[in-house]
């Protein structure tokens, strides 16, 4: 089938659906929802069998949905309607939620229903639910709908609120008034729901130490208390704010500026001088530290325990296997985070274990450079240079490890430098739902580093390496395995993945002596042929031009990315119908 995606952007859900449909032999072309005229033109050029809207905020013009079937992916249960579906589900504390595929009609989200898939809700942010439960349900519901459409003769179900399984309702766009936190009355659970239902967009508008800003990235701060609303501590860039019955860590803020755009940054950085006088760590935690109850440099986030610190890097051990978790917001890795992760990694290599699992975070494994912090720096070029060198130092440490077998285990997506950082490991395994973006070019023709010129051809060969980096397309985990980009791919959810990774790590631990001998020999040969330092120098010479050279494309692309500047056209590599000579 020829399927046209009409979508606000090629977001993670649209990418995943694109991969699932193309893997099943369908041809998918993409058009961003820029204007009705452009959308009409795309339909006329491509003449699709079916239109799908994976992530669409505006109405599909009547001239299109009257002519052909247009399927809307709606992140809500049957009968749920409106632009803030998931926001309301989280705020209202729904125990179960779902995704409905419905046919576009005149009345928004009131068209006939093609499929629905449900899931139990998890206490997590909107973006985390969207990237996991919503995405899996959307894949199931879209594949079911496409199969029904392909077979023909299926009559979709008209929306009928009289039916017992139609339990949703119309809900308006959620306003900041609906999200507003009342620090004098809201308990921790309520504050968490309010921040989570707005994370990553649009955030909860609030005032922190006199500054109007949007809140993101909240975690309960168990065991900490203070006067409700008061900022009682800061740690690792996050601030801790007391509620009526506890406290929450808030990792990121976006300043609200009148008539001026802003972007998300670590909370402590946005607050700056305003934090003077706030304890760098809560008194309760300082006491714990003095008593030696905070032993390792890495300590859990969200792992329970009294008076927990807010840390993004966590290490745990099971028998001969060390697990290094690094859960960075949006998968972005700043210079400092790279340096801290390198220290944690080196500490792990000094442990009496045989395997180190690089587990990344729950929602992202890594997306490479921290573009928001680079944008905020006095010299974006200098900050980029420092950040890529820190990434490279980390990458080199993993490549050169000969004391342990390393396993990159990707439960979440990886993009750009994050993909190549994963390839530094001896073995790479991913959850089947993971989407890779193993290329840099989309970011203003960035050349890239992280030793990718060594790591990628070594795995897939020179020809495929060029193809993968030129295509600028997402690659699914199964496809990545078939290409040789990764070694293993495990079906199922995060829990199932964790089990499979543990098993694989145990097997690697049992084989460690032989694997390590092989690795040392291979590194010796590779190093003799071309030293790692030469790959790095060549890549960095190109990066220097990207950062400091005459062509500002990287800086422009980064600005557009950080400030979320709306697309003005669909990239040619996605819009098959706009290809010349087609
Ligand atoms: N039919 C058609 N086109 C569609 C849908 C449809 N396009 C996508 C759409 N469903 C997805 N669902 C909605 C439902 C409601 C609104 C937007 C998308 C909505 N929007 C407000 C408006 O347009 O005024 C603005 C909301 C806001 O402020 O964010 O109400 O079923 N043909």
């Amino acid at each position: 089938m020829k399927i046209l995606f009409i979508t606000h952007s090629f977001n993670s859900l649209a990418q995943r659906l694109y991969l699932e449909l193309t893997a099943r032999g369908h041809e998918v072309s993409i058009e961003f929802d820029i204007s009705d005229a452009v959308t009409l033109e795309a339909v006329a050029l491509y003449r699709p069998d079916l239109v799908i809207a994976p992530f669409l905020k505006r109405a599909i013009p009547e001239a299109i949905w009257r002519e052909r079937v247009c399927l809307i992916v709606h992140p809500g249960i049957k009968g749920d309607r409106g632009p803030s579906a998931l926001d309301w589900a989280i705020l209202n504390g729904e125990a179960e939620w779902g995704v409905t595929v419905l046919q576009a009609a005149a009345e928004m989200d009131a068209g006939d229903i093609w499929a629905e898939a449900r899931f139990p809700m998890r206490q997590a942010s909107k973006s985390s639910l969207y990237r996991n439960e919503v995405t899996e349900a959307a894949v199931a519901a879209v594949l079911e709908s496409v199969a029904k459409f392909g077979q023909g003769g299926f009559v979709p179900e008209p929306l009928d609120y009289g039916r017992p399984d139609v339990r949703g309702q119309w809900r308006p766009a959620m306003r900041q008034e609906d999200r507003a936190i009342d620090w004098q009355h809201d308990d921790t659970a309520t504050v968490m729901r309010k921040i989570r239902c707005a994370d990553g967009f649009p955030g909860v508008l609030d005032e922190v130490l006199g500054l109007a800003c949007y809140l993101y990235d909240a975690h309960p701060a168990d065991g900490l208390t203070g006067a409700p609303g008061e900022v009682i501590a800061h740690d690792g860039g996050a601030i801790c704010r007391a509620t009526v019955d506890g406290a929450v860590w808030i990792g990121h803020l976006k300043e609200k500026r009148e008539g001026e755009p802003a972007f998300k940054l670590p909370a402590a950085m946005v607050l700056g001088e305003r934090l003077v006088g706030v304890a760098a760590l809560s008194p309760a935690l300082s006491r714990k530290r003095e008593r030696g109850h905070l032993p390792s440099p890495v300590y859990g986030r969200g792992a329970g325990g009294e008076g927990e610190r807010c840390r993004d890097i966590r290490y745990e051990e099971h028998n001969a296997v060390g697990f290094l978790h690094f859960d960075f917001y949006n998968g972005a890795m700043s210079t400092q985070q790279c340096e801290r992760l390198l220290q944690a990694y080196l500490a792990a290599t000094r442990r009496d274990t045989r395997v180190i699992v690089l587990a990344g975070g729950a929602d992202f494994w890594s997306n490479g450079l921290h573009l928001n912090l680079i944008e905020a720096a006095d010299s974006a070029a200098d900050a980029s240079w420092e950040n890529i060198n820190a990434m490279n130092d980390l990458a080199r440490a993993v490549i050169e490890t000969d004391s342990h077998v390393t396993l990159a285990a990707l439960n979440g997506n990886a993009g750009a430098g994050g993909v190549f950082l994963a390839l530094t490991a001896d073995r790479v395994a991913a959850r089947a739902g993971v989407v890779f973006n193993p290329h840099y070019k989309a970011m203003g023709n960035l050349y890239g580093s992280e030793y990718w010129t060594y790591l990628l051809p070594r795995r897939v060969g020179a020809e495929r390496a060029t193809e993968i980096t030129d295509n600028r397309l997402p690659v699914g985990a199964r496809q990545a395995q078939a290409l040789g980009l990764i070694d293993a791919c495990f079906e199922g959810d995060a829990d199932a993945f964790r089990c499979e990774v543990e098993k694989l790590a145990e097997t690697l631990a049992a084989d460690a002596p032989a694997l390590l001998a092989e690795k040392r020999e291979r590194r010796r040969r590779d190093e003799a042929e071309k030293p790692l330092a030469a790959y790095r120098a060549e890549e960095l010479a190109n990066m220097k031009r990207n950062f400091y050279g005459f062509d500002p494309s990287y800086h422009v692309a980064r600005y557009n990315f950080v400030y979320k500047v709306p697309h003005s056209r669909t990239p040619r590599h996605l819009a098959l119908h706009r290809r010349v000579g087609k």
Side-chain angles (χ1 to χ4, degrees):
M1 252 190 270
K2 283 172 70 173
I3 300 174
L4 179 68
F5 277 9
I6 301 176
T7 188
H8 177 71
S9 68
F10 200 31
N11 70 349
S12 63
L13 173 58
Q15 293 188 17
R16 178 72 189 287
L17 290 172
Y18 168 88
L19 291 167
E20 296 291 343
L21 290 167
T22 51
R24 283 164 181 77
H26 300 295
E27 186 186 89
V28 178
S29 189
I30 297 162
E31 186 70 43
F32 290 166
D33 179 33
I34 288 157
S35 75
D36 287 358
V38 174
T39 306
L40 282 160
E41 184 185 63
V43 173
L45 282 171
Y46 193 51
R47 307 181 62 73
D49 301 309
L50 179 64
V51 172
I52 299 180
F55 172 48
L56 187 61
K57 301 181 176 186
R58 305 187 321 137
I60 294 178
E62 179 167 352
I64 295 174
W65 60 257
R66 284 257 182 241
E67 284 288 312
R68 51 195 94 220
V69 174
C70 300
L71 299 178
I72 309 279
V73 179
H74 177 75
I77 52 172
K78 268 191 196 182
D80 181 83
R81 299 173 52 207
S84 304
L86 203 44
D87 308 46
W88 287 114
I90 296 167
L91 191 62
N92 295 340
E94 303 285 352
E96 193 193 33
W97 202 239
V99 170
T100 307
V101 171
L102 48 92
Q103 193 166 333
E107 238 188 302
M108 295 290 246
D109 302 339
D112 297 348
I113 295 159
W114 282 71
E116 183 202 34
R118 293 190 171 227
F119 52 83
M121 284 284 263
R122 177 170 54 94
Q123 305 224 340
S125 71
K126 176 170 65 167
S127 58
S128 181
L129 287 161
Y130 188 81
R131 292 181 163 276
N132 293 282
E133 287 84 348
V134 169
T135 296
E136 296 305 326
V139 168
V142 165
L143 292 179
E144 183 184 325
S145 306
V146 169
K148 285 170 175 170
F149 179 81
Q151 280 153 21
F154 175 75
V155 181
E157 172 192 315
L159 177 59
D160 172 6
Y161 285 107
R163 292 175 60 122
D165 66 327
V166 178
R167 293 212 293 267
Q169 63 181 81
W170 164 265
R171 295 199 188 268
M174 194 181 278
R175 303 157 306 163
Q176 282 299 339
E177 297 90 276
D178 302 313
R179 307 181 191 274
I181 295 169
D182 177 351
W183 291 97
Q184 300 312 314
H185 295 99
D186 289 346
D187 59 10
T188 300
T190 306
V191 170
M192 287 300 300
R193 280 204 313 280
K194 286 180 173 176
I195 299 179
R196 280 175 169 161
C197 82
D199 201 350
F201 181 84
V204 176
L205 182 57
D206 198 8
E207 206 180 276
V208 185
L209 299 170
L211 187 71
C213 52
Y214 298 90
L215 317 182
Y216 308 87
D217 186 19
H219 302 263
D222 303 312
L224 301 184
T225 49
E230 201 183 317
V231 178
I232 54 176
H234 69 95
D235 184 27
I239 56 166
C240 186
R241 203 163 180 193
T243 64
V244 291
D245 63 342
V248 292
W249 287 108
I250 298 166
H252 285 77
L253 298 176
K254 180 169 88 179
E255 200 180 335
K256 180 183 163 67
R257 295 203 186 130
E258 283 315 325
E260 235 187 300
F263 53 90
K264 283 178 218 175
L265 285 168
M269 197 171 156
V270 173
L271 293 170
E273 300 268 284
R274 290 169 201 264
L275 271 180
V276 171
V278 174
L281 200 69
S282 84
L285 290 175
S286 303
R287 277 195 303 277
K288 261 189 148 185
R289 186 186 250 175
E290 280 156 25
R291 290 201 307 259
H293 288 222
L294 290 175
S296 68
V298 286
Y299 206 71
R301 167 197 252 194
E306 195 204 330
E308 199 181 305
R309 296 182 63 190
C310 187
R311 294 307 295 262
D312 40 23
I313 300 173
R314 188 162 58 86
Y315 177 77
E316 51 168 339
E317 248 168 49
H318 294 278
N319 307 321
V321 183
F323 290 81
L324 190 54
H325 301 269
F326 41 101
D327 207 342
F328 302 128
Y329 192 65
N330 285 335
M333 295 171 63
S334 70
T335 301
Q336 271 194 26
Q337 283 164 328
C338 290
E339 288 169 356
R340 283 196 287 113
L341 183 53
L342 173 58
Q343 291 315 312
Y345 177 77
L346 293 175
T349 63
R350 290 190 291 267
R351 300 286 304 167
D352 183 22
T353 50
R354 292 182 157 198
V355 175
I356 299 172
V357 177
L358 299 167
D363 295 339
F364 298 92
W365 197 83
S366 169
N367 281 323
L369 297 185
H370 198 308
L371 299 173
N372 282 31
L373 275 176
I374 289 171
E375 190 63 37
D378 291 332
S379 162
D382 290 350
S384 302
W385 182 253
E386 283 161 24
N387 201 164
I388 196 64
N389 274 286
M391 282 291 290
N392 284 354
D393 291 344
L394 175 62
R396 186 183 58 199
V398 182
I399 295 171
E400 290 185 335
T401 300
D402 63 3
S403 56
H404 287 71
V405 179
T406 53
L407 168 63
L410 293 90
N411 182 66
N413 295 350
V419 176
F420 302 103
L421 183 64
L423 302 191
T424 59
D426 302 319
R427 293 285 187 280
V428 186
R431 194 170 54 78
V434 162
V435 175
F436 293 86
N437 274 287
H439 45 80
Y440 300 92
K441 284 199 174 142
M443 188 51 59
N445 242 349
L446 199 65
Y447 184 82
S449 193
E450 289 98 1
Y451 302 90
W452 77 266
T453 54
Y454 169 59
L455 298 165
L456 188 59
R458 169 173 98 146
R459 279 193 160 263
V460 303
E463 204 171 309
R464 268 186 180 165
T466 310
E467 238 173 72
I468 289 170
T469 51
D470 282 355
N471 276 346
R472 283 164 295 161
L473 286 172
V475 176
R478 289 186 203 91
Q479 187 190 359
Q481 187 187 13
L483 287 168
L485 192 66
I486 67 172
D487 304 292
C489 177
F490 300 127
E491 303 292 327
D493 61 8
D495 290 336
F497 181 67
R498 165 87 200 202
C499 281
E500 293 295 333
V501 167
E502 280 174 12
K503 274 192 268 175
L504 176 57
E506 293 295 339
T507 316
L508 293 172
D511 296 344
L515 291 172
L516 290 174
E518 243 171 73
K519 165 152 92 167
R520 287 192 197 102
E521 175 53 22
R522 182 174 186 196
R523 272 301 309 143
R524 197 193 51 74
R525 265 189 285 118
D526 288 355
E527 191 67 17
E529 195 175 305
K530 179 170 172 177
L532 275 183
Y535 290 100
R536 179 171 179 153
E538 285 168 15
E539 290 168 6
L540 287 180
N542 282 285
M543 288 294 252
K544 204 156 214 169
R545 268 193 293 280
N546 290 143
F547 298 157
Y548 294 97
F550 181 72
D551 176 359
S553 297
Y554 156 71
H555 298 289
V556 172
R558 191 194 59 243
Y559 178 94
N560 290 338
F561 172 85
V562 165
Y563 285 99
K564 299 194 163 79
V565 174
H567 299 286
S568 56
R569 62 171 198 88
T570 308
R572 205 50 58 90
H573 67 282
L574 300 178
L576 301 184
H577 51 282
R578 294 185 187 282
R579 285 199 175 156
V580 259
K582 196 193 83 78

